[in-house]
Amino acid sequence: MKPEDNDRIKAKKYLGQHFLIDKNIAEKIADSLLYQGNVLEIGPGMGILTAFLLKREHVNLAVIEIDGESVDYLHKYFPDLRVIQEDFLKFDLSVIFQGQFAIIGNFPYNISAPILFRLLAYRRYIPEFTGMLQKEVAERIAQQPGSKEYGILSVLLQTFYEAKYLFTVNETVFNPPPKVKSGVIRLTRKEDFNLDCDEKLYFNVVKTAFNQRRKTLRNSLKGFEKSRLIDSDILRKRPEQLPFEVFIEITKQISN
Ligand code: SAH
C-alpha cells in the first residue's frame, strides 16, 4: 500500500521525532547491520528503515515504538510486522525473542545515553548494535583514549564492544531537520565480554573518574575506601588518557 499524504505523522518534539526522508540513506543504514537472526528496531516511526529491514533475508524483525500514532501507521502499512508498543527504556528486552538479538535504529537523540546504558545492561543478549545517533555521540563512542571527547560511554562500551564509526548524515535528510549532524555507528560485541572484576565497582570507578575529568585519579578516586592500593603511576593520570583495561586494573586493585 502506498502511504497517503494525510497519514503522515506530525513530528512530536518530546519524543525526539526526526523522520528520515531519504530512502538511499535508510537503505545504507539497514545494510550496515551485519547480524543475521533476530533483530529489534528501536523507534521505527513511519518505518522508512523498517521497509528495508523487512526485505533482508535471515532477519527476523520486531520493532518497539512508544508513539501510538506511529504504531497505528505501522499496523496499516506493515500489517505483518511485529510491533511492540512500549518504552524501550522500561520494557524487559529479554522476553521479546528467544535468545540473542541485534539492535538497529535511527534512534531518538533525546535519549541516546539512556539507550546506550540499556545496551550495556542487556549486553548478554545483544551481539550487535547498529544505527544513527547525533554525530557527536557516535564519534565519542568510537573515540580512543587521549582525545577530549573520550568519556564514560567510550570506556564502558569499548569494554564489551568493538566500535566503528561508519558515516556522517546531514540535517537536510530529516523532517524536521535536527539541529546537529548525525553519525552511523556499529558496535560489535567482543568474543569475550565477561568482566573479570566487580562490575558495579567498575562502572562506579569509571563514572567517578570522568565526573571530575580534569583532576588526576589520585584526587577523583579519593572517596574509594581502598584507593591507596592503586598503582602510583596510574594515580598521576587523568581519566581520558586511559583505555578500559586500566580501569579494570584499578577496580581489581581496590576490590581485594
Ligand atoms: N526510525 C524513524 C523515526 C526516527 S525518530 C525514521 O528514521 O524516520 C525516533 C523514533 O523513536 C520516533 O518514532 C519516536 O516515537 C521513537 N521513540 C522515542 N522515544 C522512544 C522510546 N522510549 N521507546 C521507543 N521508541 C521511542
Side-chain angles (χ1 to χ4, degrees):
M1 218 191 309
K2 219 175 141 44
E4 291 152 34
D5 276 350
N6 55 3
D7 277 350
R8 296 194 67 82
I9 297 165
K10 188 167 178 294
K12 301 173 186 71
K13 208 174 171 187
Y14 68 97
L15 289 178
Q17 290 182 341
H18 294 277
F19 298 111
L20 191 59
I21 49 179
D22 183 324
K23 286 194 177 157
N24 291 321
I25 291 180
E27 184 169 24
K28 204 169 157 193
I29 297 172
D31 285 347
S32 302
L33 178 83
L34 300 180
Y35 190 73
Q36 304 193 329
N38 299 322
V39 174
L40 179 66
E41 184 189 351
I42 303 178
M46 288 182 277
I48 185 163
L49 254 180
T50 318
F52 290 104
L53 293 167
L54 286 171
K55 280 189 202 155
R56 288 190 49 173
E57 282 178 64
H58 315 297
V59 164
N60 172 36
L61 186 69
V63 304
I64 185 163
E65 172 59 65
I66 199 171
D67 175 33
E69 208 183 336
S70 294
V71 170
D72 291 344
Y73 184 101
L74 294 164
H75 282 317
K76 179 166 175 186
Y77 292 105
F78 303 89
D80 298 328
L81 177 66
R82 183 173 170 209
V83 181
I84 302 163
Q85 184 175 356
E86 290 284 349
D87 181 345
F88 172 77
L89 298 181
K90 299 204 177 120
F91 193 65
D92 178 4
L93 304 178
S94 67
V95 304
I96 299 175
F97 299 105
Q98 295 252 354
Q100 313 254 312
F101 58 94
I103 286 182
I104 190 165
N106 164 21
F107 303 110
Y109 298 173
N110 56 333
I111 52 168
S112 307
I115 288 176
L116 292 163
F117 278 107
R118 209 105 223 279
L119 165 65
L120 286 166
Y122 279 92
R123 63 181 186 273
R124 285 170 194 81
Y125 296 92
I126 309 174
E128 184 183 328
F129 178 98
T130 292
M132 186 149 63
L133 295 159
Q134 306 89 309
K135 179 168 188 263
E136 185 220 318
V137 174
E139 279 176 343
R140 185 187 289 268
I141 292 169
Q143 206 58 258
Q144 292 307 301
S147 81
K148 261 203 285 180
E149 289 75 34
Y150 183 73
I152 296 175
L153 277 168
S154 331
V155 175
L156 294 180
L157 288 165
Q158 288 172 25
T159 307
F160 308 109
Y161 290 87
E162 302 289 350
K164 190 159 191 221
Y165 186 91
L166 299 175
F167 56 92
T168 302
V169 175
N170 278 323
E171 301 88 318
T172 50
V173 299
F174 297 85
N175 182 28
K179 290 211 178 73
V180 292
K181 289 199 189 308
S182 301
V184 175
I185 49 158
R186 186 192 306 120
L187 299 173
T188 310
R189 197 177 58 198
K190 295 178 179 176
E191 195 106 347
D192 180 9
F193 58 95
N194 289 308
L195 194 59
D196 64 342
C197 65
D198 178 337
E199 176 168 335
K200 243 180 126 179
L201 185 60
Y202 178 69
F203 276 60
N204 201 354
V205 163
V206 174
K207 285 181 188 173
T208 307
F210 279 97
N211 281 340
Q212 297 169 290
R213 59 184 298 146
R214 273 185 305 211
K215 292 191 179 168
T216 60
L217 297 181
R218 183 182 306 284
N219 288 314
S220 60
L221 298 184
K222 255 186 194 146
F224 288 92
E225 197 193 342
K226 294 183 181 162
S227 62
R228 69 197 144 74
L229 300 177
I230 303 170
D231 275 0
S232 52
D233 274 355
I234 297 177
L235 284 174
R236 274 195 287 274
K237 299 267 169 65
R238 291 173 214 282
E240 65 260 32
Q241 299 170 287
L242 304 176
F244 72 89
E245 290 93 338
V246 175
F247 287 98
I248 292 178
E249 195 47 46
I250 294 172
T251 308
K252 286 180 177 166
Q253 289 173 0
I254 64 177
S255 59
N256 52 32

